[in-house]
Amino acid sequence: MNYKIDVSTSIEELSEKFANILKQGTAESDSYFTVALSGGSTPKVIFNYLAENFKTKIDWNKIKFFWVDERCVTPDDTESNYGMTKKYFFDKIDIPGQNIFRIRGEDEPLQESERYSKIILENVSFKNKFPQFDLIVLGIGEDGHTASIFPGRLDLFDSNDICDTTEHPQTGQKRITLNGKVINNAKKVVFLVTGKSKKAINDIVLNRKDGFEKLPVAFICPIDGELIWMLDAEAVTFEM
Ligand code: 6PG
């Protein structure tokens, strides 16, 4: 796994760095900068920072936002990744609605997975036989999952489908997720990992401790793109 580790002293500093990745990518793109976002709680603070500090510093018209995964709930459900992003981010910036490609969590999962795959094929460039996002933003669960690829579903790194349906192992919540080959085909993959609760999983993965090789997060390995682990000081273990 060839990657860069970037440690920030605070989540604000991490957010500023992440915002500049978006700003630079958008400035360098001669068409649209395609970004797939993850959900969960980590992005909330980062999205809020973006909206408050980069509202006029990034040309949002040039970014097409997609999702790495979505919970199979309605968009107004507190569990919705789209709903969270809308609340903390999109409602506070001027971004055209046609640049936002949400996963319809309220629809039948398998049908939506197929529909969303077609949307990606129509709107994202194509390379190495798969869609190629400019930027994919991932989080990491304390069990080593990423996107909605949970332990025990490593088959989703062999699938040639763009998206698939999965279930949260504890709650049984149905999910739709990008598959591993699409994630690993991105030009740049960034993990945003903050807080004390992620110190243990970071230690296992980044210091290659026992069992890390079976965790989905260990299979994130862009075939020719860049991989950056963006951490705040609370999430870092001293061996890094
Ligand atoms: C999701 C995410 C998931 C998330 C990790 C970390 O839908 O939950 O896409 O992969 O990134 O579970 O979540 P937290 O940021 O809440 O710790």
Side-chain angles (χ1 to χ4, degrees):
M1 198 160 62
N2 182 11
Y3 54 83
K4 189 172 95 177
I5 297 179
D6 182 311
V7 180
S8 297
T9 53
S10 67
I11 197 163
E12 289 73 23
E13 184 188 356
L14 182 150
S15 302
E16 182 80 13
K17 291 175 185 174
F18 176 68
N20 281 307
I21 289 174
L22 286 184
K23 185 176 178 183
Q24 184 183 349
T26 311
E28 288 170 357
S29 174
D30 54 11
S31 61
Y32 286 102
F33 188 62
T34 55
V35 180
L37 299 171
S38 281
S41 57
T42 301
K44 288 178 185 171
V45 176
I46 298 164
F47 288 167
N48 222 32
Y49 186 92
L50 273 171
E52 286 179 9
N53 298 280
F54 280 77
K55 185 179 171 66
T56 58
K57 294 178 185 171
I58 293 176
D59 182 358
W60 303 108
N61 291 292
K62 284 188 66 182
I63 304 186
K64 284 185 175 178
F65 282 108
F66 301 78
W67 273 264
V68 167
D69 63 342
E70 184 57 279
R71 291 82 178 278
C72 293
V73 296
T74 57
D76 58 352
D77 189 303
T78 54
E79 279 284 300
S80 168
N81 288 338
Y82 163 75
M84 177 274 288
T85 311
K86 183 177 183 297
K87 177 179 176 185
Y88 289 90
F89 189 18
F90 293 157
D91 284 351
K92 302 174 180 178
I93 61 172
D94 296 327
I95 181 162
Q98 66 262 28
N99 287 32
I100 299 169
F101 300 84
R102 76 177 180 95
I103 299 172
R104 295 176 54 84
E106 65 272 31
D107 288 352
E108 197 284 320
L110 197 53
Q111 283 173 13
E112 175 55 14
S113 169
E114 287 160 5
R115 183 198 74 88
Y116 199 62
S117 297
K118 291 193 184 83
I119 293 290
I120 290 173
L121 285 170
E122 290 162 5
N123 290 279
V124 177
S125 56
F126 204 75
K127 188 180 173 191
N128 311 320
K129 300 181 185 161
F130 286 94
Q132 184 175 57
F133 285 92
D134 291 308
L135 174 64
I136 289 189
V137 184
L138 298 176
I140 176 172
E142 292 174 49
D143 63 352
H145 82 260
T146 191
S148 280
I149 304 177
F150 295 97
R153 289 306 312 269
L154 298 181
D155 58 295
L156 297 178
F157 285 95
D158 297 323
S159 170
N160 290 325
D161 294 331
I162 294 169
C163 298
D164 219 316
T165 60
T166 65
E167 278 189 16
H168 190 287
Q170 274 79 46
T171 65
Q173 184 185 61
K174 292 205 181 311
R175 305 275 187 101
I176 292 167
T177 187
L178 286 186
N179 280 331
K181 286 183 179 178
V182 175
I183 296 172
N184 283 329
N185 197 41
K187 290 181 185 171
K188 181 178 286 194
V189 178
V190 170
F191 277 110
L192 300 181
V193 190
T194 63
K196 290 190 183 69
S197 69
K198 300 296 172 68
K199 186 181 281 209
I201 190 65
N202 276 335
D203 182 35
I204 292 167
V205 177
L206 296 177
N207 296 317
R208 298 173 175 269
K209 298 237 170 123
D210 294 351
F212 91 96
E213 70 282 350
K214 296 190 186 72
L215 300 176
V217 66
F219 287 75
I220 299 301
C221 188
I223 50 176
D224 55 18
E226 187 182 3
L227 176 59
I228 308 174
W229 282 72
M230 296 180 75
L231 312 173
D232 72 351
E234 286 192 349
V236 169
T237 56
F238 293 102
E239 293 170 57
M240 287 176 198

